[in-house]
């Protein structure tokens, strides 16, 4: 039985200060404030420490105690819920097996009028079927988002499918979450969620394109383009770690890169640190995630 319930308030602290004296970690469960149902794959981060964790499919999480400061902000970000924060202090003993309650976020959906005779599909993003050398992989909560740019400047409609070139190494059949973002962050980085539901999928194999049908979600594509992201998630009752040194072991699936573009179109997200642009290059061509999409285009 959980020891206490913590109600979170968006961008404000409405609870007494917590403390961390006896325990070496913060652990517990994230739930929907209204229904008490667990929230899958919510990110839990300490702002000053710049570290974080991801809940599993049952809403459970574990995160190390803060070390740098006597107090810190515990940030909870979950798809479809309000961004929330509480202040935590090192002097509390009761931050194990806690319940974090998060309020639901309401979305206003735009109406879309489609005339079938004036719409046709168009492919955007990576065009090659041969990946470049290298691997793109992440830990739970890590994301790689590729900017599916509307190079032709056409009027776009709904997103039909998104595709990822899954590497043959690692664990290709491990599940991952699809994220779709508008390019409305700082420096046109990924920001607003266009796909507001959890879409968790698994590829059948590696070394090939894996395509997911998104027509049922009625995602309106911004005319300038949008970001398609792969988010690594954690499943089961294990919280994985990866050693990138001598005993290198990949976690989850591996996304392959492409060198088709002269510009950097790929951003990396890490819990606690946010988005950063990938600027690696090879012979003048930029290192990008091998991702593409099919979108309705108005003639």
């Amino acid at each position: 039985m959980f020891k206490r319930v913590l109600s979170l308030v968006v961008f404000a602290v409405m609870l007494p200060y917590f403390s961390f004296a006896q325990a070496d970690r913060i652990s517990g469960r994230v739930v929907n404030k209204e229904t008490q149902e667990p929230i899958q794959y919510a990110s839990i981060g300490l702002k000053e420490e710049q570290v974080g964790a991801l809940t599993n499919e049952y809403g459970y999480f574990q995160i190390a105690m803060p070390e740098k400061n006597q107090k810190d902000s515990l940030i909870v970000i979950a798809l479809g819920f309000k961004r929330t924060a509480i202040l935590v202090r090192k002097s509390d003993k009761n931050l194990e097996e806690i319940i974090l309650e998060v309020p639901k976020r309401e979305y206003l959906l735009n109406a879309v009028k489609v005339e079938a005779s004036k719409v046709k599909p168009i492919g955007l993003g990576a065009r090659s079927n041969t990946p470049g050398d290298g691997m793109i992989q992440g830990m739970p909560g890590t994301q790689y988002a590729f900017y599916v740019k509307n190079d032709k400047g056409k009027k776009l409609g709904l997103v039909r499918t998104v595709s990822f070139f899954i590497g043959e190494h690692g664990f290709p059949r491990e599940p991952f979450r699809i994220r779709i973002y508008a390019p409305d962050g700082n420096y046109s980085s990924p920001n607003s969620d266009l796909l507001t539901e959890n879409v968790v999928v698994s590829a059948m194999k590696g070394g090939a394109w894996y395509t997911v049908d998104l027509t049922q979600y009625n995602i309106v594509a911004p005319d300038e383009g949008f970001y398609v992201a792969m988010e690594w998630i954690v499943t089961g009752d294990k919280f994985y770690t990866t050693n990138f040194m001598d005993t290198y072991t990949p976690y989850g699936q591996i996304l392959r890169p492409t060198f088709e573009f002269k510009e950097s179109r790929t951003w990396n997200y890490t819990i606690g640190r946010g988005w950063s642009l990938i600027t690696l290059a090879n012979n003048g061509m930029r290192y990008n995630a091998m991702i593409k999409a099919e979108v309705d285009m108005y003639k």
Side-chain angles (χ1 to χ4, degrees), residues 45-46 51 59 68 133 179 217 259:
L46 290 168
V51 297
K68 298 177 182 178
D133 293 333
R179 305 294 293 267
Y217 300 104
F259 291 93

Side-chain angles (χ1 to χ4, degrees), residues 5-104:
V5 176
L6 306 181
S7 296
L8 303 181
V9 180
V10 181
F11 301 111
V13 178
M14 300 296 293
L15 298 173
Y17 292 142
F18 304 123
S19 55
F20 309 131
Q22 302 292 326
D24 60 356
R25 66 184 181 182
I26 306 171
S27 64
R29 193 159 58 105
V30 178
V31 301
N32 182 323
K33 184 177 181 180
E34 287 75 30
T35 67
Q36 297 299 300
E37 295 178 348
I39 299 176
Q40 299 179 332
Y41 318 124
S43 67
I44 315 294
L46 290 168
K47 182 178 180 181
E48 300 300 327
E49 294 280 314
Q50 293 189 334
V51 297
L54 199 71
T55 64
N56 65 8
E57 65 265 48
Y58 307 109
Y60 288 99
F61 72 93
Q62 296 176 5
I63 187 173
M65 287 292 190
E67 298 177 354
K68 298 177 182 178
N69 303 290
Q70 292 299 313
K71 61 182 180 180
D72 204 340
S73 295
L74 186 65
I75 310 295
V76 180
I77 302 175
L79 182 63
F81 292 83
K82 294 181 180 180
R83 178 188 174 98
T84 59
I86 58 172
L87 183 66
V88 291
R89 291 181 181 272
K90 268 192 172 182
S91 53
D92 198 359
K93 306 175 183 178
N94 301 316
L95 285 181
E96 290 191 49
E97 298 185 353
I98 60 175
I99 296 179
L100 304 177
E101 297 183 332
V102 183
K104 191 76 175 177

Side-chain angles (χ1 to χ4, degrees), residues 68-171:
K68 298 177 182 178
N69 303 290
Q70 292 299 313
K71 61 182 180 180
D72 204 340
S73 295
L74 186 65
I75 310 295
V76 180
I77 302 175
L79 182 63
F81 292 83
K82 294 181 180 180
R83 178 188 174 98
T84 59
I86 58 172
L87 183 66
V88 291
R89 291 181 181 272
K90 268 192 172 182
S91 53
D92 198 359
K93 306 175 183 178
N94 301 316
L95 285 181
E96 290 191 49
E97 298 185 353
I98 60 175
I99 296 179
L100 304 177
E101 297 183 332
V102 183
K104 191 76 175 177
R105 179 180 178 182
E106 299 297 330
Y107 290 93
L108 295 176
L109 300 179
N110 296 323
V112 179
K113 182 179 180 181
V114 177
E115 299 180 36
S117 61
K118 295 184 179 181
V119 174
K120 71 174 185 178
I122 184 175
L124 301 175
R127 297 177 293 274
S128 174
N129 290 319
T130 304
D133 293 333
M135 299 185 296
I136 298 174
Q137 67 180 93
M139 295 297 294
T142 298
Q143 299 181 50
Y144 279 85
F146 175 73
Y147 185 37
V148 180
K149 187 177 181 181
N150 184 8
D151 293 304
K152 297 182 179 180
K154 300 294 185 178
K155 174 68 176 176
L156 300 182
L158 299 179
V159 178
R160 292 190 176 194
T161 67
V162 294
S163 301
F164 306 82
F165 199 99
I166 306 295
E168 60 274 25
H169 301 297
F171 305 95

